[in-house]
Amino acid sequence: MALTNRKKKSRPVVQTPVSESRFDDSQEISDEKNENNLNLAEHSSKNYSKLATDFTTIDFDTQYSAKDRKTIKADPDIKSLIEIFSDFEGAKAYETLRHMTQYYYENNYDDRAQRIIASIQNNKFL
């Protein structure tokens, strides 16, 4: 019954529109599509990886801020083991996970699979 008797809320109205741009006025905005896309990529906050022509390796030494890190859902016993490994080594949990993924990546996949995984990973963050 609650689904059928919904009342529409009035939408807020902007009284004074803002005339400021999100980008610096000092940059020249060109009409060419390639340059425009490059400027947008430079201003993107999700552009973590550097533009590179070699997509065959993964850089496991990249440092991120705490704000950029994501949470990982794991079973309680696995999370407990990761915490034990971290305490045993005297490292942070995310550093232990980084070492684990690097070891898994290097020892469980052949060169072709590593190139495919690195290509997917690098294209994901461009």
Side-chain angles (χ1 to χ4, degrees), residues 12-34:
V13 179
V14 177
Q15 298 295 329
T16 56
V18 178
S19 62
E20 296 177 5
S21 175
R22 293 186 298 170
F23 304 108
D24 292 336
D25 291 335
S26 62
Q27 289 184 342
E28 254 182 58
I29 300 174
S30 70
D31 294 333
E32 294 179 18
K33 188 175 183 179
N34 291 339

Side-chain angles (χ1 to χ4, degrees), residues 11-115:
R11 296 189 60 105
V13 179
V14 177
Q15 298 295 329
T16 56
V18 178
S19 62
E20 296 177 5
S21 175
R22 293 186 298 170
F23 304 108
D24 292 336
D25 291 335
S26 62
Q27 289 184 342
E28 254 182 58
I29 300 174
S30 70
D31 294 333
E32 294 179 18
K33 188 175 183 179
N34 291 339
E35 291 181 13
N36 194 12
N37 288 339
L38 183 61
N39 287 338
L40 291 176
E42 289 174 358
H43 291 292
S44 175
S45 63
K46 292 191 175 189
N47 191 5
Y48 292 121
S49 68
K50 297 176 183 174
L51 294 175
T53 57
D54 184 24
F55 293 121
T56 58
T57 60
I58 295 177
D59 184 20
F60 286 99
D61 297 326
T62 306
Q63 298 295 322
Y64 295 100
S65 67
K67 184 177 81 172
D68 293 333
R69 290 193 187 97
K70 307 292 183 192
T71 57
I72 295 177
K73 303 292 183 185
D75 294 331
D77 56 342
I78 301 299
K79 183 168 181 350
S80 174
L81 279 174
I82 292 172
E83 289 173 352
I84 291 169
F85 294 155
S86 300
D87 291 340
F88 192 73
E89 292 178 0
K92 302 280 186 183
Y94 60 86
E95 292 172 355
T96 304
L97 283 172
R98 182 178 293 132
H99 293 303
M100 289 175 162
T101 54
Q102 182 176 4
Y103 179 83
Y104 191 86
Y105 173 77
E106 291 172 353
N107 295 318
N108 289 354
Y109 297 108
D110 60 347
D111 290 338
R112 181 177 181 273
Q114 287 180 4
R115 284 193 310 269

